[in-house]
């Protein structure tokens, strides 16, 4: 007769991805923000299928209709604008412009800012001091005022709006990257890589940069939110995407003169900007908690 002994195996520790997911999804606000953001992205991508009308189509005699729940027509759920265009369709298409501008501006500012920050940390004497001096000057200006000045110089267009916002949002990336990289430059792995003969580009972008990515990812989400707000402000002032293109800031600028007679023209694009910025900020808070080693605890 043989006896079977139960072999107890040690529990497998959770992987980094499991820790990240557990921490992120424990934050209900972050999950809600991510869901809203995904809905907005899907709406932007599927705008031709979701929008009930062409955003540029003029419906003669239907100008400034109120929303359907306030006595308007069912064919225009959110009403129409001053030219008789469907507001719902323009809000949906506006997500394309605003999210695209925010994403491109964030990516461009991150690319340039991270490169300058790494180089400033690697060559801290002359080049590093010069970069940080210019960076401090840029950060001393109010971001919106600086964006308006640059946009007025470059001229109104979507491309110039992206460049403007990228320049305004670049200084935080430079400062954060330099501070994080200077800590990593003191690590033993960096010294070992340098002794082994790794080239400058490899040291910067292969050895140092991956260890700086956690705070940079969180910073990028915050900058993404700021970029959408800046794009809306620039468009509202007339320096961004020009009418009749359906961009939320431009829609707010057009609705400005009808605030007293038809406040709904301003409410819908303004609410869209608010929800986009809020959802990105909530998602960024969740990413910050999930990427912080001290907060990665599985309940």
């Amino acid at each position: 007769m043989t006896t079977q002994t139960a072999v107890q195996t040690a529990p497998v520790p959770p992987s980094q991805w499991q820790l990240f997911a557990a921490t992120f999804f424990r934050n209900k606000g972050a999950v809600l923000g991510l869901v809203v953001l995904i809905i907005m992205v899907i709406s932007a991508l599927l705008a031709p299928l979701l929008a009930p009308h062409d955003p540029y189509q003029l419906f003669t005699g239907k100008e400034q209709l109120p929303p359907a729940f306030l006595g308007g027509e069912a064919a225009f759920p959110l009403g129409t604008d001053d030219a008789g265009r469907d507001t719902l369709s323009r809000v949906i298409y506006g997500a394309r412009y605003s999210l695209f501008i925010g994403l491109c501006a964030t990516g461009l500012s991150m690319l340039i800012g991270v490169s300058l920050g790494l180089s400033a940390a690697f060559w801290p004497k002359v080049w590093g001091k010069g970069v940080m001096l210019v960076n401090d000057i840029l950060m001393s200006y109010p971001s919106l005022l600086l964006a308006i000045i640059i946009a007025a110089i470059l001229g109104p267009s979507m491309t110039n709006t992206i460049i403007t916002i990228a320049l305004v949002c670049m200084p935080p990336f430079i400062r954060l990257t330099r501070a994080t990289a200077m800590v990593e430059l003191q690590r033993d792995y960096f010294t070992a890589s340098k002794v082994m003969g790794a080239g400058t580009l490899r040291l910067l972008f292969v050895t140092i940069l991956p260890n700086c990515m956690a705070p940079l990812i969180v910073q990028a989400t915050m900058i993404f939110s700021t970029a959408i707000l800046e794009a809306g402000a620039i468009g509202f002032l007339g320096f961004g995407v020009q009418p009749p293109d359906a961009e939320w800031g431009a829609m707010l600028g057009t609705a400005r003169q009808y605030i007293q007679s038809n406040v709904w023209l301003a409410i819908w694009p303004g609410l869209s900007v608010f929800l986009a910025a809020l959802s990105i900020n909530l998602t960024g808070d969740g990413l910050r908690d999930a990427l912080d080693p001290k907060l990665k605890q599985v309940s």
Side-chain angles (χ1 to χ4, degrees):
M1 181 176 182
T2 60
T3 60
Q4 296 180 351
T5 59
V7 179
Q8 295 183 351
T9 59
V12 179
S15 64
Q16 290 295 322
W17 169 249
Q18 289 174 328
L19 289 174
F20 172 85
T23 306
F24 181 86
F25 287 105
R26 196 162 55 240
N27 188 330
K28 304 303 181 184
V31 174
L32 178 61
L34 181 61
V35 170
V36 173
L37 182 59
I38 291 175
I39 291 174
M40 286 191 168
V41 172
I42 293 175
S43 300
L45 295 175
L46 302 180
L49 300 178
L50 298 178
H53 303 284
D54 187 317
Y56 301 103
Q57 184 177 357
L58 305 178
F59 294 91
T60 305
K62 307 290 185 180
E63 293 82 3
Q64 296 193 50
L65 287 178
F69 59 85
L70 290 179
E73 297 185 8
F76 309 103
L78 301 185
T80 58
D81 65 4
D82 58 315
R85 295 169 295 207
D86 179 50
T87 301
L88 176 59
S89 300
R90 293 181 63 78
V91 168
I92 293 175
Y93 272 87
R96 285 187 161 188
Y97 285 96
S98 296
L99 294 179
F100 179 77
I101 291 173
L103 182 62
C104 290
T106 302
L108 183 60
S109 63
M110 185 175 184
L111 178 63
I112 300 175
V114 167
S115 300
L116 290 175
L118 285 175
S119 63
F122 198 77
W123 296 289
K125 293 184 178 180
V126 178
W127 172 254
K129 289 181 180 179
V131 169
M132 295 312 297
L133 176 61
V134 175
N135 192 66
D136 290 339
I137 293 174
L138 291 176
M139 293 191 72
S140 67
Y141 264 88
S143 59
L144 181 57
L145 177 60
L146 183 61
I148 293 173
I149 293 174
I150 298 174
I153 294 173
L154 296 179
S157 73
M158 186 172 69
T159 302
N160 291 341
T161 300
I162 294 173
I163 296 174
T164 298
I165 297 175
L167 292 175
V168 171
C169 295
M170 184 174 60
F173 280 118
I174 297 176
R175 180 180 290 273
L176 179 60
T177 304
R178 177 181 176 273
T180 309
M182 291 190 72
V183 174
E184 298 300 325
L185 287 172
Q186 309 303 319
R187 307 287 188 185
D188 292 338
Y189 74 86
F190 172 77
T191 304
S193 299
K194 193 172 182 180
V195 169
M196 293 176 64
T200 302
L201 292 179
R202 182 177 180 83
L203 288 173
L204 291 177
F205 296 100
V206 178
T207 305
I208 296 296
L209 181 58
N211 295 285
C212 304
M213 286 307 297
L216 289 175
I217 291 174
V218 177
Q219 182 69 34
T221 60
M222 302 306 173
I223 294 298
F224 188 16
S225 171
T226 301
I228 291 178
L229 293 174
E230 296 285 354
I234 292 174
F236 175 77
L237 296 173
F239 295 108
V241 178
Q242 296 298 293
D245 289 335
E247 190 267 332
W248 292 336
M251 292 173 66
L252 281 171
T254 302
R256 176 175 46 190
Q257 56 187 322
Y258 303 102
I259 290 292
Q260 294 183 345
S261 61
N262 191 352
V263 69
W264 295 102
L265 291 179
I267 286 180
W268 301 122
L271 183 62
S272 299
V273 173
F274 166 74
L275 288 177
L278 179 62
S279 64
I280 295 170
N281 284 334
L282 290 176
T283 304
D285 288 340
L287 289 174
R288 179 199 60 204
D289 295 344
L291 292 172
D292 189 340
K294 297 179 182 178
L295 299 176
K296 287 183 179 179
Q297 300 175 357
V298 180
S299 58

